[in-house]
Amino acid sequence: QLQLVESGGGLVQPGGSLRLSCAASQFTFDYYAIGWFRQAPGKEREGVSCISKGGRSIRYADSVKGRFTISRDDAKNTVYLQMNSLKPEDTAVYSCAGATIIVGCGLGTKDYNRWGQGTQVTVSS
């Protein structure tokens, strides 16, 4: 079964950068689309970005477009989320998730059936 572990969160000042990693334990990692989601206190979980099997299809939420970049390195069983120009409203617990959908990827949660534990990102002066 696919197991995912996030890392790279922390405290950063507004305008700063972080790179999150989503590492998988399974050699079939490249069979999965991977999404990044975030949830702030009192708010619903939000899809941030996703990348398809093979990496040819990528989506971003409007709120992060132009600031965040998703990528995958299947040889390392890892998906990355590079976050630049961070804002206080980016503060949330960020989780990665795997989906067995055949093609593409989505920012909704319904297609994702394997979730990591989450990593805290705090953007504050």
Side-chain angles (χ1 to χ4, degrees):
Q1 293 184 336
L2 182 69
Q3 297 185 61
L4 302 172
V5 178
E6 304 94 335
S7 62
L11 175 65
V12 65
Q13 293 185 351
S17 297
L18 287 172
R19 188 175 75 160
L20 305 184
S21 297
C22 174
S25 62
Q26 188 175 315
F27 77 94
T28 53
F29 177 76
D30 57 349
Y31 294 173
Y32 290 82
I34 300 294
W36 282 100
F37 299 81
R38 66 186 182 186
Q39 188 166 27
K43 300 186 69 175
E44 294 184 350
R45 192 183 305 274
E46 174 190 17
V48 176
S49 184
C50 66
I51 187 165
S52 67
K53 296 183 292 184
R56 292 185 294 274
S57 181
I58 290 173
R59 297 176 183 264
Y60 296 100
D62 288 342
S63 58
V64 307
K65 196 171 298 180
R67 300 188 297 121
F68 291 10
T69 303
I70 193 170
S71 61
R72 67 189 298 160
D73 185 345
D74 289 339
K76 296 183 177 180
N77 286 351
T78 302
V79 167
Y80 303 98
L81 185 68
Q82 178 68 46
M83 306 187 296
N84 298 326
S85 301
L86 283 162
K87 304 174 181 179
E89 51 263 45
D90 295 318
T91 296
V93 174
Y94 285 71
S95 301
C96 65
T100 55
I101 55 177
I102 302 300
V103 66
C105 72
L107 297 179
T109 61
K110 290 184 177 180
D111 289 333
Y112 294 87
N113 50 28
R114 294 288 185 270
W115 292 81
Q117 84 288 350
T119 186
Q120 177 71 46
V121 172
T122 302
V123 185
S124 177
S125 299

